[in-house]
Amino acid sequence: MPGLTFLASSSRVAPGQLTWPAWETLRGADRVLTGSGEHPQLPYVRDAGVAVEVVEPDAAALVREASSGTVVWLAGLDGDEDLMRAVGSVLVGMDEPPQVEVVQGAYDLPGARFLDLVAVMDTLRRECPWDREQTHESLAPYLLEEAYEVIDLIESGDLKALREELGDVLMQVVFHAQVSPHFDVDDVAEGITDKLVRRNPHVFGDVTVADADEVDANWNAIKLAERGEDASIFHGVPMAQPSLSLAAQLQRRAAKADVPEELFADDGVGADLFSLVRRLREEGRDPEAELRAAARRFHDRVERHQGR
């Protein structure tokens, strides 16, 4: 049946990896046309035995061809939307217009948009004077700020805005990977992927677990083995984190290592706070979250008092 098919593909999928309906459409066409000899799909389609002609995009000519035969337009990676609109304008004035459809030749895999972010950040790093000047040290405050904004949105329940703020955090991760002379974003992704597989043998191996507590115990055991017997029990604890969170994390590590009770003893106001953190932790409460919630309630009371 005569008609025109726009065959779309994706820059996020390797060239040549087209769907079966796309290949059937290509092989069943009378003519396959495209507007650029640099189209990334071109060599693969031709290697498959499909003849492709490179022509100047012409909506009227495409419609004429499609009125008497099956024509496939191998669309550019931008979708050739201007050409599609022009074809639509031509069809409006016809008494018996040919059939026009769009076939998606490749679908993005989950996470494919991450490649767009990497590409945009690479361009900014090359072409933007501000981006070129950034270092790990100059970017550090932004990463901390964005992380706090994410926590603020989670606690406030504004989950619609959470998407944007998570994107800001992700941008910071990609930015730091670009700045480093020792690794890139693929190394970062590879590292965390390997770690997740290694520390979840109940999913990616043959280990059996009964519940989430056992998963956590396995994770910590594997982590301890990776650090080695001579590593400090506080290895990996960021001392620059907020003091309540720091105290809670140090105490958790110490408790798992069966640190003697007398080492918890201390004097002064700071020691009183440290003891309070311990009591809250033993009750299953997050000291940092408790104080932040109290601060938020105080903020709201003062705002209401001032009529805001």
Side-chain angles (χ1 to χ4, degrees), residues 203-231:
V203 176
F204 302 103
D206 54 5
V207 173
T208 301
V209 295
D211 51 31
D213 289 339
E214 198 167 336
V215 171
D216 185 57
N218 284 344
W219 176 284
N220 289 318
I222 296 170
K223 183 177 181 180
L224 183 62
E226 291 172 353
R227 290 203 306 258
E229 295 181 358
D230 297 332

Side-chain angles (χ1 to χ4, degrees), residues 10 13 17 19 103-109:
S10 170
V13 178
Q17 296 187 10
T19 62
V103 170
Q104 190 65 38
Y107 294 92
D108 292 344
L109 295 172

Side-chain angles (χ1 to χ4, degrees), residues 128-305:
C128 174
W130 186 88
D131 283 62
R132 286 198 300 267
E133 292 178 356
Q134 301 314 304
T135 65
H136 291 303
E137 291 74 18
S138 69
L139 291 173
Y142 299 108
L143 178 57
L144 190 61
E145 178 183 322
E146 300 298 353
Y148 278 133
E149 288 185 9
V150 166
I151 294 172
D152 190 55
L153 289 174
I154 292 173
E155 292 183 345
S156 67
D158 190 356
L159 300 184
K160 289 184 178 180
L162 182 60
R163 169 187 171 182
E164 179 178 349
E165 292 304 332
L166 286 173
D168 290 342
V169 172
L170 184 58
M171 184 197 76
Q172 291 298 318
V173 172
V174 175
F175 213 155
H176 277 278
Q178 286 180 322
V179 167
S180 174
H182 306 295
F183 57 82
D184 59 22
V185 70
D186 287 317
D187 296 321
V188 173
E190 180 184 34
I192 187 59
T193 299
D194 290 347
K195 180 188 292 186
L196 289 172
V197 171
R198 190 171 62 248
R199 293 190 184 175
N200 288 281
H202 60 289
V203 176
F204 302 103
D206 54 5
V207 173
T208 301
V209 295
D211 51 31
D213 289 339
E214 198 167 336
V215 171
D216 185 57
N218 284 344
W219 176 284
N220 289 318
I222 296 170
K223 183 177 181 180
L224 183 62
E226 291 172 353
R227 290 203 306 258
E229 295 181 358
D230 297 332
S232 166
I233 63 171
F234 297 136
H235 176 80
V237 175
M239 298 298 290
Q241 65 181 299
S243 55
L244 286 177
S245 298
L246 174 62
Q249 189 172 6
L250 291 174
Q251 290 176 14
R252 283 195 300 272
R253 291 284 186 91
K256 289 178 180 178
D258 294 323
V259 168
E261 186 67 27
E262 60 266 22
L263 295 182
F264 285 89
D266 198 0
D267 296 317
V269 176
D272 293 339
L273 288 172
F274 195 79
S275 297
L276 178 58
V277 168
R278 187 180 184 190
R279 178 171 69 80
L280 290 171
R281 185 183 57 78
E282 290 173 346
E283 294 174 0
R285 297 154 70 185
D286 180 354
E288 186 75 24
E290 293 287 339
L291 181 57
R292 194 161 50 244
R296 185 182 292 279
R297 291 193 297 271
F298 173 73
H299 168 275
D300 293 343
R301 288 197 303 272
V302 171
E303 291 284 273
R304 287 195 298 272
H305 177 73

